[in-house]
Amino acid sequence: MSNYGLFVRFTLRDDASEAFDALVRETAAGIQAHEPGTLVYACHEVEGAPNERIFFEIYADRDAFEEHERQPHTRHFLTERDKYVEKTEVDRLQPYAGKYPTGAEK
């Protein structure tokens, strides 16, 4: 299985959630319009933790992730997010079993 993924936890600054979420929605629109290799880009609020956000990302492969990182909307997000984020934790994922949007199962 060649998919590549990320699990990202953002801890937001107090009173930054509205602006951060607007930035995420803008970024997600660019991803939907321009990134066929980004299979899943799912952004979540965390129940009971209003300053936490979780992103779950699955790319067709490592090249698709690298292409995502080069996109203008992604570059904009990476530049702007520091205004709103207190802490970022990133786990890089190498899927080995499961069901993915491509229909590939292992």
Side-chain angles (χ1 to χ4, degrees):
M1 180 172 290
S2 64
N3 293 124
Y4 179 77
L6 296 178
F7 182 89
V8 184
R9 178 181 291 273
F10 293 107
T11 302
L12 305 180
R13 300 178 193 285
D14 289 336
D15 300 319
S17 61
E18 247 180 76
F20 180 81
D21 293 344
L23 177 63
V24 169
R25 286 184 185 95
E26 177 185 322
T27 304
I31 291 166
Q32 289 173 345
H34 303 289
E35 296 186 30
T38 301
L39 306 178
V40 175
Y41 193 85
C43 310
H44 303 83
E45 295 178 341
V46 179
E47 190 174 322
N51 286 348
E52 299 289 322
R53 296 294 184 272
I54 300 288
F55 287 20
F56 179 67
E57 306 170 30
I58 298 290
Y59 301 90
D61 52 30
R62 183 69 182 244
D63 289 341
F65 168 71
E66 297 297 337
E67 182 62 24
H68 163 76
E69 291 287 290
R70 287 190 290 271
Q71 294 297 309
H73 49 269
T74 301
R75 303 301 318 152
H76 177 72
F77 172 79
L78 294 173
T79 300
E80 295 295 310
R81 73 178 180 188
D82 290 341
K83 296 177 186 176
Y84 314 114
V85 174
E86 186 174 290
K87 181 179 177 185
T88 303
E89 300 170 73
V90 179
D91 291 317
R92 295 177 183 277
L93 310 173
Q94 188 59 54
Y96 69 93
K99 181 176 179 179
Y100 292 87
T102 59
E105 294 186 39
K106 189 170 184 173

